[in-house]
Amino acid sequence: MDGVPEIDLSDLGVLEDPLAAYGRAREQSPVARLIAPGFGTMWAVTRHADAKSMLADPRFRLSSASFMRPEVPEEYLVYMRTMQEMDGAEHLRLRRLVAPAFTPRRIAWFRSRIERIVDGLLDGLPADGSPVDLLTDFARPLPIDVICELVGIPEADRAQWREYGAAVASGSGEKLAKAIPGIMEGAKQAIARRRQEPGPDLISDLIRVQEDDGDRLGDAELVTLVWQLVLAGQTPINLIVNAVATLLTHPDQLGALRADPALLPRAVEELTRWCGPQLLAIPRFPSEDVEVGGVPIPKGVPVTAAIGCANRDPRVYPDPDRLDLRRDPESSGHLAYAHGPHFCLGAPLARLETEVALGALLRRFPGLSLAAPPARLPDPGTWRLASLPVTV
């Protein structure tokens, strides 16, 4: 179609700098075609207002086709249909059951437990001045430890769950496929244990819901919710690493944050906008022929939101490519956690986890510096680093 740019996701330039490629497309058209050899064509909404509208439009539906499912043994297939694949009343029912665990008030109450986990991980870093990989030694174990605490996985089982978390963080593939049955079995065991020994955790809350009214939550749904939370809860890995690397390569902003620690919550929002890990939203499928920004899109073709470039849309953000930790996060609202019915349920947890992690790093290590330039992995859909060697 005339005027609609095409982006080849296998192109080396796109892999190395997808934000630049999506940004050029954004200034040409509100919609671009993404071409992935072997996967066909997907439409990407490039501008903030159009992306926000699309993500909230019930005509754009998530389904199992939105995800690349790893192969698992047949007995575990019953647990593979997660809340992310659902829409309408079915999605809303499950979301309402889990939502109380992720309210800002409940997550704020959880702060002291996150602080304890963060301090324990930082205590384990070598103190001899040798370089440390913050990805493997800090950011990667942190989210799984936090999720285990929130969900109710016993301390004795958490070493195994760290291995599960590492497999999830590795993305799709054989490693993840092998881990999924273990995660599901671990969820079953944790549920059985909490039926006998309830605690102040999400599994115990959901068991109480089930006991009060079994029609609201089935056994398979309970296991699925637990393993989905483990899966989704790994998002802060890349956000924390991206944020640290960004601060260390923007010394003026790092200096401002060190001088005014009260700036941290606002800084987390700006860092999430500027270097959030998810560049492309999970694809949706329109249930009818639609128009986005005046561009017709046929029924049934996959559509994504180019979140990374929408979050740098000059129509919304003054000087959008500039990192500004004092930027008012309420002025526009970034889309790093999506929007609409599938807005990330764990956003308050991801925000607090990142805030606590960055605050502790800056407070405990005033000389924190890069030991080598950060290297971004070539990926058109995710902003992530291969490692983050630092000197603490």
Side-chain angles (χ1 to χ4, degrees):
M1 184 180 301
D2 291 341
V4 176
E6 292 189 347
I7 301 174
D8 182 352
L9 297 186
S10 66
D11 181 86
L12 185 59
V14 175
L15 290 168
E16 291 180 344
D17 195 352
L19 280 175
Y22 302 148
R24 287 190 295 271
R26 179 193 61 223
E27 298 313 304
Q28 295 176 49
S29 168
V31 175
R33 278 198 195 89
L34 306 183
I35 300 171
F39 292 94
T41 300
M42 178 166 57
W43 296 73
V45 185
T46 59
R47 295 176 184 171
H48 189 283
D50 295 311
K52 186 175 181 179
S53 177
M54 185 275 286
L55 291 169
D57 190 330
R59 295 176 299 172
F60 291 87
R61 297 176 179 173
L62 289 168
S63 72
S64 59
S66 300
F67 302 88
M68 293 181 64
R69 281 184 169 182
E71 292 187 11
V72 297
E74 187 174 353
E75 64 265 32
Y76 297 106
L77 291 177
V78 67
Y79 308 118
M80 290 298 290
R81 186 169 180 265
T82 69
M83 188 167 57
Q84 282 183 308
E85 299 179 14
M86 302 173 186
D87 273 310
E90 186 180 25
H91 171 261
L92 186 59
R93 172 179 63 88
L94 289 177
R95 189 178 179 97
R96 283 176 172 169
L97 294 178
V98 185
F102 293 95
T103 62
R105 188 179 203 179
R106 179 77 177 268
I107 294 301
W109 169 83
F110 198 59
R111 175 186 282 269
S112 63
R113 296 160 84 175
I114 297 176
E115 290 172 340
R116 176 176 57 80
I117 293 169
V118 165
D119 285 337
L121 289 169
L122 294 181
D123 288 343
L125 298 182
D128 59 2
S130 58
V132 173
D133 184 355
L134 275 189
L135 173 61
T136 57
D137 295 337
F138 177 63
R140 186 169 289 159
L142 174 59
I144 193 67
D145 286 3
V146 169
I147 284 293
C148 284
E149 187 82 7
L150 179 74
V151 169
I153 303 299
E155 289 276 358
D157 297 340
R158 293 189 186 177
Q160 178 63 63
W161 282 77
R162 273 195 181 186
E163 293 185 19
Y164 296 151
V168 170
S170 71
S172 59
E174 185 179 352
K175 198 172 182 180
L176 175 60
K178 287 182 177 179
I180 287 175
I183 295 172
M184 293 173 176
E185 289 298 330
K188 290 181 187 179
Q189 293 166 15
I191 291 165
R193 189 176 290 107
R194 285 298 182 235
R195 289 195 192 280
Q196 301 299 320
E197 304 169 9
D201 51 66
L202 179 60
I203 288 178
S204 299
D205 291 347
L206 292 174
I207 289 171
R208 282 190 284 272
V209 167
Q210 192 181 48
E211 290 173 346
D212 290 344
D213 183 357
D215 291 337
R216 294 177 64 197
L217 185 65
D219 287 342
E221 289 177 326
L222 181 53
V223 174
T224 302
L225 281 173
V226 173
W227 101 262
Q228 182 190 0
L229 287 171
V230 173
L231 193 73
Q234 305 313 299
T235 298
I237 294 173
N238 292 320
L239 177 56
I240 291 167
V241 171
N242 292 354
V244 173
T246 297
L247 288 171
L248 294 179
T249 52
H250 291 76
D252 59 327
Q253 296 299 301
L254 176 59
L257 185 54
R258 286 196 182 279
D260 183 9
L263 189 60
L264 192 53
R266 179 173 287 200
V268 168
E269 289 306 295
E270 172 68 351
L271 287 161
T272 305
R273 177 195 76 85
W274 200 86
C275 60
Q278 191 170 5
L279 300 180
L280 299 175
I282 298 167
R284 273 82 169 156
F285 295 85
S287 58
E288 58 187 70
D289 292 345
V290 295
E291 280 195 3
V292 175
V295 178
I297 297 178
K299 173 184 177 180
V301 300
V303 181
T304 184
I307 289 173
C309 83
N311 283 342
R312 297 194 184 194
D313 188 343
R315 296 158 190 79
V316 176
Y317 303 98
D319 198 4
D321 292 324
R322 180 172 63 90
L323 180 72
D324 179 6
L325 300 189
R326 297 189 183 278
R327 194 186 297 270
D328 180 5
E330 301 299 326
S331 63
S332 58
H334 63 69
L335 301 177
Y337 297 112
H339 183 67
H342 285 274
F343 178 81
C344 177
L345 194 61
L349 179 62
R351 288 184 169 111
L352 182 58
E353 219 171 301
T354 304
E355 180 183 326
V356 171
L358 293 180
L361 279 166
L362 298 182
R363 183 179 65 252
R364 292 183 54 164
F365 306 120
L368 183 69
S369 61
L370 289 171
R376 185 185 168 276
L377 287 168
D379 186 333
T382 308
W383 184 338
R384 57 197 178 108
L385 302 181
S387 63
L388 185 58
V390 299
T391 302
V392 299

